[in-house]
Structure formats: structure tokens, C-alpha cells
Amino acid sequence: MKQNNIIRYIPVLAVTVLVLVAAALLWLKLKPKDEGLKIDETANVVTEIRKIAQFTSACYYEDVILKDKKANESLGGKVVNSFSKKDKPILEDEIVIVASGNVRAGFDLSKLSEKDIVIRDSVLEVTLPKAEIFEVIVNPSGFDVYVEDGTWSHEQVTKVENKAMNKIRKDAISDGLLEKATELGVTKLTELFKTFGYKEVVIHTK
Amino acid sequence: MKKLFWIPAALLLLCISCKQDVLTNLSLREKMNAKISELTEMNELGTVEYKVTKVIKASDDAKWYQFGDRKILFQCTAILKAGVDLNKFDPSKIKVNEEEKSIMLTLPKAELLSFNLPPESAKMVYEKVAITRFDFSARERNLLLQQGEKEILDNVPTLGILQDAEKNAAAFFKSLLSQMGFESITIKFA
């Protein structure tokens, strides 16, 4: 008796599935191609101009992948997995960001004072300031949202992006960016100053 | 009857989600372990820094199959640095007269050396999404910021940053060369 009831519903189910598939196909055919969001034209306003003298001698490039998870907010983030001993939410949002950035380092030549440049006969002696990191750059074009499950606010994404930038900065320092910037900077500036006619150029760093 | 339909459907969904998770995690773990980095030498003298602010706004009006609009507005500040790429500097173009203590230096033309739009300087100041529409995703927001980045970069020639960079580069080399003992200094850009 029960089996007969089930068999009776099969054609209804089949027709429902067919109608749904046909509707989906029709939707895909009729839906216009999404050209993507376009921003409105706005002005670029220069708010500050600063004179600098940054001699960049080394650059570190890195691609990092950062993953973050949070409790799904649609359930208030309070539904806890009762099967697990850990206080872990049952539904989690996940985001994976690929960041391609660079770190620029070198000497800030605006810190050179008169006493840092000494000329004896035709020997030029220059004392450079310590090599430093000028900036860590990861622009919007350097970020790729690879996985995005759930809702992530702009602030939450910014936090993950900042983590990626900090990682790139840390890796650059541990990979010897400052040492390389010092070594390369001294070589390049020695070559440059020699072209000014000095027979010998001696460069020290602080 | 209802149970008969929902149990296999739920099992199927669970299988699909588990499979995707395992695959995604495996490839990601591999990628996360492999550090892709490079250290290269540079030879650039940045002489000017510009801070440029821009409002990035977009309206996603409802299409015929949608109900309600979405609007978003960011305010962002980019830091642009310009100067001379000394890799393009040709030492054969330097003319030094030691007796007269004069020097003529031909520097390469100024160019944009770096563009920095840090995540924390792109602030979302307004967002309005109709209840019938999905929120702007992180991917969509980033695509909008990318367009803003491109617009600022496209406008670099009109900002006057390159002219300032050449002016400052000339001033820097004049000051440096006078400290080095030169009395007559001529700087050119080519």
C-alpha cells in the first residue's frame, strides 16, 4: 500500500524536476551578460606634496596566501558544535586572500648633512644613514579574493589584508632586504659618485 | 514521503561540500607552504611624494530581473612617488671640468616610481543595499577599488608630479654636487 503511494508521486516529482530544469535553462539564456560594476568618474585631489630624496636600492617581492575564518553571522555566531568538545561554531565563514606585494628599501639621502660628505685631495668620503624600509606596497590590484564563503565586511577584509602586508614586511626583513639594500646601495652610489670625476670614493654607513 | 526526498538530498549536499573542502584545503596548504618571493636590485631616486585622495563610488541599479539597487562609496588616499630611474642614467653624458670645477649632468626623465594604496586608507563610507539584493562581496569591493587605482594611475600625467620630480631631482643633485666641491652645475633631463 505504502509502495503504491510512492510510485504515484514519481511522475509528479519527475515533472517538477523537468519544469525546474527548463526554467533554469530559460533563465540562463535570457539573463543578460553581467558586464560587472563600473565606478563613476570622480576627481583625483592632490592633498599633500612632499619633497623627498629616497634612494631605493633593493626591492622584495612576495606572494602570500592568507586564510581567515569566523563564525557565521547569520546565526548570531553562537551556534556551537555539540559533537566537538571545542567551543567551535557549527557554521563558519571562510576567506582566502592572495596578496602580491613589494617592499622597497634603501637610503634616505635627505638625512645627509654637510659633515657626511668629506673631500680629501681627490678622494670622496660619504657617510650614509642606515638603510631603511620606505614602504610596503600591496595595492587593490595586488589582492585577489580566492575563496569567499559567508559575509565579510570591508573592515574584516582590511584586517586580513593588513595581516598579509605585515607578513610580507616580516619576510622581507628576515630574507635580508636591509642588508641587501645596504650592499647594493653602497655599490651603486660608489659607481655614481665615481662618474663625477673622483679617483676614489669611500662610502660608510652609520 | 517528505523524509524520503530530503534524506538523500541532504547526504548529496554534504558529500559535495566535504569534497570541495578537502580539495580546496589540499591545494591551499600546498600553496601556503610554498613561499614565492624574489629580491631584486634597484637604482632609483625618488624626489617627490604626492598624496592623492579620491572618492570611489558605484551604483548597481536593478536590472529587469532584479529588485532594488545597491550603492557603495569609498574614500581612499594613495601615495605616489616619482623620481629618476638611475639605471637609465648614461655616465658618458656627464661632462666634468676639474679646473673650472664645473659639471653638466644629463639625467633620465622623471617617472612614477611607486604607487601605494594601502588597504587601511581605502575607507568604505557608505553602503546601501536593497533587502532583495545581496551585499557587495569582498571580491566586488576589491574590483571597484582596482578601478579607482587605475583611474588615479591614468591621471598621473595631469597631476604635475613628474614636473615636480624633475625640479626636485635637479635641486637635489645641485645641492649634493656643490657639497662635493663643484661651483658650476648644470642639470638636464633627456
Side-chain angles (χ1 to χ4, degrees):
Chain A
M1 187 67 188
K2 256 188 176 179
Q3 233 176 2
N4 280 344
N5 275 343
I6 294 164
I7 291 164
R8 231 171 50 200
Y9 279 110
I10 286 173
V12 179
L13 267 172
V15 169
T16 313
V17 169
L18 275 172
V19 167
L20 284 172
V21 169
L25 287 171
L26 193 70
W27 164 255
L28 285 172
K29 201 165 171 61
L30 289 177
K31 191 187 165 199
K33 273 188 183 173
D34 197 0
E35 289 167 0
L37 286 167
K38 291 268 182 292
I39 63 165
D40 301 334
E41 209 170 292
T42 53
N44 302 307
V45 184
V46 178
T47 52
E48 202 182 311
I49 299 174
R50 195 166 70 96
K51 200 173 174 175
I52 56 168
Q54 293 178 348
F55 178 72
T56 307
S57 52
C59 192
Y60 177 86
Y61 299 87
E62 192 184 3
D63 286 355
V64 297
I65 298 163
L66 268 202
K67 188 173 153 182
D68 201 8
K69 279 183 178 183
K70 65 174 176 66
N72 188 289
E73 281 156 13
S74 56
L75 295 167
K78 282 173 186 170
V79 180
V80 171
N81 188 350
S82 53
F83 299 106
S84 162
K85 283 179 185 171
K86 289 175 187 170
D87 192 19
K88 198 181 162 193
I90 205 159
L91 281 176
E92 279 186 326
D93 292 342
E94 185 183 37
I95 194 161
V96 179
I97 287 179
V98 183
S100 306
N102 66 76
V103 188
R104 296 165 63 88
F107 298 105
D108 185 355
L109 300 182
S110 68
K111 289 177 181 167
L112 274 180
S113 64
E114 273 184 31
K115 62 177 182 177
D116 292 324
I117 299 171
V118 180
I119 303 157
R120 282 194 199 98
D121 301 322
S122 56
V123 178
L124 175 72
E125 215 169 309
V126 181
T127 308
L128 293 172
K130 268 190 175 180
E132 59 186 87
I133 285 174
F134 294 134
E135 54 194 340
V136 183
I137 304 173
V138 189
N139 290 317
S141 57
F143 285 115
D144 179 29
V145 183
Y146 183 60
V147 174
E148 186 183 3
D149 288 337
T151 311
W152 290 83
S153 72
H154 182 64
E155 288 72 27
Q156 286 164 337
V157 177
T158 303
K159 269 187 191 168
V160 183
E161 290 173 340
N162 278 333
K163 273 188 202 167
M165 288 183 76
N166 289 337
K167 190 187 181 314
I168 294 174
R169 186 191 177 94
K170 220 172 132 186
D171 287 349
I173 293 169
S174 64
D175 278 12
L177 174 68
L178 288 170
E179 292 79 9
K180 198 77 185 164
T182 307
E183 184 195 318
L184 288 167
V186 168
T187 311
K188 296 282 177 189
L189 287 174
T190 306
E191 281 171 16
L192 178 72
F193 295 158
K194 272 190 178 170
T195 61
F196 298 159
Y198 294 98
K199 281 178 189 155
E200 201 182 327
V201 175
V202 182
I203 293 184
H204 310 281
T205 49
K206 279 180 185 166
Chain B
M1 183 63 201
K2 275 182 184 172
K3 274 181 191 170
L4 275 172
F5 175 74
W6 284 111
I7 291 169
L11 279 171
L12 186 69
L13 271 173
L14 194 72
C15 286
I16 292 168
S17 66
C18 286
K19 197 186 170 196
Q20 273 184 340
D21 200 33
V22 167
L23 285 174
T24 317
N25 283 343
L26 265 180
S27 58
L28 268 176
R29 201 171 294 136
E30 280 168 11
K31 283 179 187 172
M32 286 171 104
N33 289 338
K35 191 170 148 193
I36 308 151
S37 64
E38 195 189 353
L39 223 163
T40 57
E41 63 174 81
M42 308 283 282
N43 197 6
E44 291 176 350
L45 180 72
T47 56
V48 74
E49 181 187 283
Y50 267 44
K51 268 190 186 168
V52 177
T53 61
K54 185 176 182 66
V55 170
I56 297 172
K57 59 186 174 94
S59 298
D60 182 16
D61 300 328
K63 295 176 184 79
W64 64 267
Y65 56 90
Q66 291 168 329
F67 299 99
D69 301 336
R70 299 192 302 168
K71 289 183 189 304
I72 198 162
L73 207 147
F74 295 93
Q75 187 166 26
C76 60
T77 306
I79 300 162
L80 287 80
K81 287 180 186 172
V84 285
D85 182 357
L86 296 173
N87 277 324
K88 294 174 184 166
F89 174 62
D90 181 3
S92 66
K93 285 182 180 169
I94 300 174
K95 285 173 188 160
V96 182
N97 188 327
E98 284 177 32
E99 283 173 14
E100 289 176 11
K101 288 188 176 178
S102 72
I103 186 166
M104 200 176 91
L105 206 64
T106 308
L107 293 170
K109 279 196 176 289
E111 54 190 87
L112 187 74
L113 302 177
S114 73
F115 176 91
N116 192 3
L117 181 55
E120 69 272 9
S121 77
K123 290 185 175 70
M124 194 181 80
V125 286
Y126 180 79
E127 187 186 24
K128 191 182 172 190
V129 179
I131 200 159
T132 49
R133 303 283 304 272
F134 285 112
D135 284 344
F136 284 96
S137 66
R139 196 173 281 118
E140 283 176 319
R141 289 192 300 261
N142 194 49
L143 285 172
L144 294 173
L145 291 173
Q146 281 182 22
Q147 289 177 45
E149 175 189 337
K150 194 181 170 295
E151 267 197 11
I152 300 174
L153 282 169
D154 288 346
N155 275 297
V156 164
T158 62
L159 292 174
I161 188 171
L162 301 178
Q163 290 86 335
D164 278 349
E166 287 188 0
K167 200 174 78 187
N168 291 350
F172 170 78
F173 276 103
K174 274 183 182 170
S175 160
L176 183 78
L177 291 165
S178 72
Q179 282 185 64
M180 288 178 173
F182 290 98
E183 285 167 6
S184 168
I185 303 153
T186 312
I187 311 281
K188 278 184 182 176
F189 291 90

